[in-house]
Amino acid sequence: MEASQKDLFHQRIERVNAAIALRKPDRVPMFLSLGLFPARYAGITYQEAFYNQESWLAANRKVVEDYQPDLYFQPGAAVITGGAVHDHLQTRLLKLPGRELGPDVPFQFVEGEYMTAEEYDAFLDDPSDFAIRVYTPRIFGALEGLAMLPPLKSMVMGYVGATMVGMLTLPPLAEALRAVAEAAAESMRWTAGYMEFEARMNERGFPAFSTAITLAPFDVISDMLRGMRGAMLDMYRCPDKLIAAQEKLLPLLIEAAVTQAKMSGNPRVFIPMHRGADGFMSLEQFDRFYWPCFRDLVESLIHADLVPCPFFEGSYDLRMHYLAKLPPGRIMGIFDRSDLFKAKKTIGEVMCIAGDMPLSLLQTGTAEQVREYARRLIDEVGRDGGFIMCSNTVLDEADPELVRAWVDFTFEYGTYG
Amino acid sequence: MQENGHERGRKRGGDDIAAEETQEELVKAIVGMEEEKALALAEGLLEGGADPMQVLSLCRRAMEAVGEGFERGEMFLPDLIMSGEILSGISELIKPRIKDEGEPERLGRVLMGTVEGDIHDIGKNIVVFMLDVNGFEVVDLGVDVPPRVFVEKISELKPDVLGLSCLLTLAYEAMKRTVEAVEEAGLRTAVKIMVGGGTVDEQVREYVGADAFGADAVEAVSLAKAWVGR
Ligand code: B12
């Protein structure tokens, strides 16, 4: 590492850490939540971003070097893995640019009730078995054959169980295993590419926001298993199972985050939060169905010396007093539509506040409007430190000129005397 | 809401009073999200010879109360979803009992769709459902709807209101193109346009040139009602 770049890396990390510890750094740290923005910026299609990692990474490097943020959101958060992985698996949960969608349309999620309410018992009895023999065949077309596997726990029968491997010659199973092997190799290439990218960017002086990601247990159920509608009905029809399933998931979600973070050495753990926001449930429902497992998750990460970075998607105005109960000075909270000007009073002494800069302005506003809003954020939310500048969602289609105006303004105006 | 209009002229015996109590209980059960109780009460009423249309109007009354609870910030999406689920359960009970009486009178017609490039429909579907139970005729064009299709359908169906939905920021441009296409076709003054969905706000409304932005499904209903003069 060249000395000056190494210094820059440490300066940036120092700036961010000071804000997280609720102190005043030399200036307001700038965090770019890039999303798919680098593709358009560098002139490649979204399709290319998903199918050609080299050009996707080059695009990201260009953005980071041009704008010089203190933290950048890793390219692997937007293109989680290559399009070819999903081609091999025939992923039904996603529609991809250049596959089901136009080449310049961002990838999109196909929500469904991939686990029925009746299946809670199977899930609770043995989540791994449910995942492999029931869920996976539903969400990946190429893995339908896995539904033919015998119960996975039958493998405990020692060498008697060895005859079971014969099953794997059944054509649908054999095909599924072939698809897994192909997808695995491709996926590993992408993972290695991302790890290499992060290491190189560190050397160039640019720290990544986070390598580890985890979810609130309720969201795993609502997003991925039962669907929004299913999880909402479960609150009335089978509340105990909804809670039991979360408790089953919690240790796994903690462990996944801790392992990833320790492996990369980056302590910040991203926790995008989906269906606990205002409007998605009442305060009583939040208190019963969302908060307990989420709080345990956050506290366990802190206990493991990590920095939880929950992204409070939507608005949490009605729940700020809950957030105020979390351990002080250990959390970087990113916000979407909450009123931060009010929230500063409730949680300003508990967590570092980031986010809120509206993408609607960065995409459709004027430079003047952008600066005006950023000025207000710095004056009212950032005044005493404990603040990181960031947009309220990914920059996908933001106007590069407006992003420039925003970043430059933050660098100039955001200095602490 | 007119109450028990059809009962006028009938003699009011003990049975009627008991039925009336059950009716109130039904409304309460729906508003209280007591699914099993609501279904049992509705079934009891129907078995006891209650007018199916009357039961339906009780459900509508309950849904209005849920909508009002939502507006007051006392009820939330799960309540909309659950009450909708109860409503469809009761509708199933009612369906075999009603002769086709033709389309009920509607407050107005709303054309809804998720704009081009966006395939998300959970938000839009809730809006469609709420407009429908609140007395609007809703024509749902689905997802990823190109501006051209919106324009064709406006010419064909002459809706009072056009509702554009989305989830992602990519849709700002698609919404703008859609409003422009409506304008170019000379239809802009013929419909009121409302926009909404995950990342939409007042700034976006102004940018795309719509008449109003609605933050949730209940606001969509209020906007549409105000435009058709209710
Ligand atoms: C749950 C969620 C997810 C879930 C699944 C959602 C789904 N079915 O696609 C998962 C985890 C899979 C997910 C994935 C992603 N998400 Co997401 N997600 C959300 C979240 C938290 C809620 C969305 C939701 O479920 N809405 C439920 C419905 C009921 O709400 P709604 O659509 O807003 O509709 C209501 C109102 O808006 C209104 N309304 C809707 N239409 C209309 C129309 C009219 C006319 C009117 C008046 C009103 C109206 O009424 C509805 C009912 O009240 C939002 C943030 C938020 N709070 O909105 C982010 C959000 C949409 N996601 C976002 C992002 C970044 C992503 C990912 C890119 C993350 C990633 N890198 O993987 C992917 C993209 C994949 C995708 N979604 O297609 C961004 C948007 C990005 C963008 N470019 O625009 C958001 C805004 C979060 C943020 N602030 O960053 N997401």
Side-chain angles (χ1 to χ4, degrees), chain A residues 77-80 94 106-111 215 223-224 228 273-275 277 280 311 313-315 336-337 359 392-394 396-397, chain B residues 70 77 80 112 119-120 122-124 126-127 162-170 194-199 212-220 223:
Chain A
V79 178
I80 291 166
L94 293 181
F107 81 99
Q108 291 172 56
F109 181 71
V110 184
E111 183 160 328
L215 291 169
D223 293 344
M224 301 300 172
M228 183 182 87
M273 293 164 67
H274 294 134
R275 263 102 184 230
F280 281 107
F311 178 21
E313 301 190 24
S315 162
D336 176 4
R337 290 179 165 219
L359 209 81
N392 71 342
T393 178
V394 287
D396 283 10
E397 270 94 17
Chain B
F70 194 95
L77 270 181
L80 294 189
M112 281 289 306
I119 60 155
H120 291 92
I122 320 184
K124 181 208 66 189
I126 296 173
V127 173
L162 172 63
L164 302 179
S165 179
C166 73
L167 184 66
L168 306 177
T169 51
L170 95 138
M194 57 181 179
V195 291
T199 50
F213 151 67
D216 54 54
V218 174
E219 277 189 24
L223 286 169

Side-chain angles (χ1 to χ4, degrees), chain A residues 27-318:
Chain A
R27 71 159 161 74
V28 169
M30 182 81 220
F31 168 28
L32 287 184
S33 176
L34 294 172
L36 289 167
F37 178 76
R40 189 155 300 195
Y41 185 78
I44 63 168
T45 62
Y46 289 163
Q47 176 174 7
E48 183 153 1
F50 274 85
Y51 284 90
N52 181 342
Q53 193 184 32
E54 242 171 71
S55 40
W56 170 233
L57 292 179
N60 276 272
R61 178 177 167 185
K62 183 168 166 48
V63 170
V64 174
E65 290 184 338
D66 285 359
Y67 289 100
Q68 309 260 319
D70 296 303
L71 289 177
Y72 68 94
F73 220 129
Q74 287 82 324
V79 178
I80 291 166
T81 189
V85 176
H86 298 296
D87 292 345
H88 288 307
L89 297 175
Q90 294 168 33
T91 308
R92 293 177 177 140
L93 278 179
L94 293 181
K95 295 199 177 191
L96 293 188
R99 209 173 61 162
E100 298 87 352
L101 304 171
D104 255 321
V105 175
F107 81 99
Q108 291 172 56
F109 181 71
V110 184
E111 183 160 328
E113 193 175 326
Y114 296 104
M115 173 177 116
T116 66
E118 291 68 42
E119 286 168 340
Y120 267 113
D121 291 335
F123 175 86
L124 287 168
D125 175 53
D126 187 345
S128 308
D129 186 74
F130 180 80
I132 291 183
R133 296 196 306 133
V134 184
Y135 182 65
T136 304
R138 280 184 195 154
I139 64 166
F140 299 118
L143 305 191
E144 275 178 358
L146 296 185
M148 300 173 75
L149 284 170
L152 298 186
K153 53 189 159 195
S154 46
M155 294 304 276
V156 298
M157 287 188 293
Y159 65 88
V160 181
T163 54
M164 268 173 36
V165 295
M167 299 233 8
L168 304 181
T169 61
L170 293 174
L173 264 172
E175 267 163 46
L177 293 181
R178 207 164 25 244
V180 168
E182 280 165 341
E186 180 68 19
S187 178
M188 198 55 216
R189 262 197 295 284
W190 278 75
T191 305
Y194 283 142
M195 282 166 62
E196 161 86 14
F197 179 82
E198 202 174 319
R200 290 285 156 281
M201 294 307 283
N202 283 348
E203 284 171 13
R204 294 187 183 106
F206 298 105
F209 161 56
S210 97
T211 317
I213 177 169
T214 193
L215 291 169
F218 181 89
D219 290 327
V220 176
I221 297 167
S222 174
D223 293 344
M224 301 300 172
L225 295 169
R226 298 279 297 123
M228 183 182 87
R229 182 176 164 280
M232 284 178 176
L233 294 176
D234 296 344
M235 294 189 213
Y236 302 99
R237 289 179 177 164
C238 51
D240 298 340
K241 289 183 183 175
L242 177 57
I243 292 170
Q246 290 189 49
E247 285 165 355
K248 198 93 183 174
L249 285 165
L250 183 61
L252 165 88
L253 295 166
I254 296 169
E255 192 191 309
V258 174
T259 314
Q260 292 170 66
K262 297 273 145 134
M263 216 161 69
S264 71
N266 182 335
R268 290 171 296 279
V269 178
F270 184 48
I271 316 173
M273 293 164 67
H274 294 134
R275 263 102 184 230
D278 295 350
F280 281 107
M281 54 177 82
S282 70
L283 207 54
E284 295 91 279
Q285 286 165 335
F286 178 75
D287 187 70
R288 182 169 176 209
F289 295 112
Y290 199 94
W291 181 254
C293 280
F294 169 72
R295 181 204 49 218
D296 288 356
L297 173 67
V298 167
E299 287 177 354
S300 306
L301 295 180
I302 292 175
H303 191 72
D305 262 333
L306 300 174
V307 180
C309 303
F311 178 21
F312 298 96
E313 301 190 24
S315 162
Y316 277 70
D317 287 345
L318 304 175

